[in-house]
Amino acid sequence: MYTQGLNTIDAHAASAQDAEREAAFQARIDADEKIEPNDWMPATYRRTLVRQISQHAHSEIVGMLPEGNWITRAPTLRRKAALLAKVQDEGGHGLYLYAAAETLGVSRDQLIEDLHAGKVKYSSIFNYPTLAWADIGTIGWLVDGAAIMNQIPLCRCSYGPYSRAMIRICKEESFHQRQGYDIMLALCRGTPEQKAMAQDALDRWWWPSLMMFGPPDATSVHSAQSAQWKIKLLSNDELRQRFVDQTVPQADYLGLMMPDPDLKWNEATGHYDFGSIDWDEFHQVLKGNGPCNRDRMRTRVKAWDDGAWVRDAAVAYANKHAMREAKQAA
C-alpha cells in the first residue's frame, strides 16, 4: 500500500507537470513560434509529425515512378532534360523530408522499411498509370498544382525543420507545375489528335487530383488536432475548393472540358460548385487496391535491393575515412 501510494503521488505530479508543459507548448504555437527538435513537445505532436512527414517523404519518392518511365520516351531532347530534372527534384524532396523526420528521433531505414512492408501510406494519386505523354503534362499541371496548394501553407507550419524544408520544395514544385502546363499548352495547340490526348488525360486525372487533399473535413480523423497545433493551417475542403477555383480557368484557357457535368460558377459564394467525389475509390486505392499499388511497391523494393551495393560502398568508404582520421589524430 505504501509503494502504491508513492506511485500515485508521482503519477499525479507527473500529470500536473505534463499539463503545465502542454499549456506552455500550446501558448508557443498560438504565438506562432517555431518548435525545434530539442524543444519539449507532446508525444502525440511528435507522432503526428512523424506520420505526416514520413507519408509526405514516401509520396515524393514513389511519385518519381509514374514519370520516370517516360524519360526515355519524351518527344524531344528538351522535354527529356526537363523531365529528368523534375524526377531528380522529387528524389531530393524525399531526402529533405526524411531528414526532417529524423530530427524527431526516427530512423530513415525504419521509415523506408515500413514503406516497403506496406505499413504506411503515401499519396493515392501515384497509384494510377501514365498511359500517354499527355499524362506527364497533366501530372505537372494538376498533381503538382494540388501539391503546391497543399504545401504552401506548410511553409508556415509550427515545426521548424518541416516548414524550412517546404520553402525550397514549394519553389521547385512551382517549376514542375509550369512545366506540366507548358506540355498541355503545346498539345492543345497541336493536332486534333494531340488535343484529344490532352483531354483524355484530364478526364482520367481530374478526380484523383481532387482526392489528393484527403477526405472531407467531416470525416478527417487528424485534421482538428493538426489545426490546433498549426501543423495544418487550412482544412482539406478549403484547399480542395481553392484548387478547383484556380484550375478551372486554366482548363478554359487550354480549351479543355472538365469531366464534371455538375461543375458551375456560383455567384452567391464566389466559388465553383463541383460534383461528388467517389470516396469509395479513394479508400480502395489507400487500401492497396488501386491500378498500380502492387507494381509501385514491387518497383520500389527492387530499386532498394539493387542499390544495396551503393549503400554498402558508401558505408565502407566512410569507415575507411574515419579510421584514417583516427590514425592521423593518434
Side-chain angles (χ1 to χ4, degrees), residues 56 60 89-90 93 96-97 144-156 162-178:
H56 193 165
E60 297 284 356
D89 285 348
E90 306 294 5
H93 297 173
Y96 303 154
L97 293 165
D144 292 317
I148 293 167
M149 193 67 66
N150 251 325
Q151 293 171 6
I152 285 178
L154 292 174
C155 296
R156 296 179 285 114
Y162 193 22
S163 68
R164 290 189 288 272
M166 291 314 305
I167 293 172
R168 177 167 179 172
I169 289 174
C170 285
K171 289 179 180 178
E172 293 177 350
E173 291 290 2
S174 296
F175 163 77
H176 301 166
Q177 198 270 347
R178 290 195 296 273

Side-chain angles (χ1 to χ4, degrees), residues 206-207 210 241 244-245 248-249 252 257-276:
W206 174 245
W207 292 108
L210 293 189
Q241 185 65 64
V244 172
D245 292 345
V248 173
D252 290 342
M257 182 73 67
M258 283 294 188
D260 181 0
D262 296 324
L263 183 71
K264 62 180 181 299
W265 178 254
N266 187 322
E267 290 287 351
T269 64
H271 298 289
Y272 282 96
D273 294 334
F274 53 94
S276 299

Side-chain angles (χ1 to χ4, degrees), residues 9-29:
I9 293 170
D10 288 344
H12 285 166
S15 178
Q17 185 180 39
D18 285 347
E20 290 177 5
R21 283 180 167 182
E22 289 187 14
F25 177 83
Q26 188 61 51
R28 292 187 62 194
I29 299 288

Side-chain angles (χ1 to χ4, degrees), residues 189-204:
R189 290 178 174 176
T191 65
E193 291 80 8
Q194 288 173 322
K195 187 169 184 179
M197 184 196 303
Q199 181 66 62
D200 175 66
L202 172 59
D203 292 347
R204 287 182 287 105

Side-chain angles (χ1 to χ4, degrees), residues 58-106:
H58 299 329
S59 298
E60 297 284 356
I61 297 299
V62 176
M64 300 165 69
L65 300 178
E67 296 173 297
N69 63 7
W70 276 94
I71 292 172
T72 58
R73 294 184 285 168
T76 67
L77 182 59
R78 174 175 169 268
R79 296 294 189 194
K80 290 181 196 294
L83 184 56
L84 182 62
K86 178 188 177 182
V87 172
Q88 179 176 286
D89 285 348
E90 306 294 5
H93 297 173
L95 295 180
Y96 303 154
L97 293 165
Y98 283 133
E102 285 179 313
T103 66
L104 294 160
V106 294

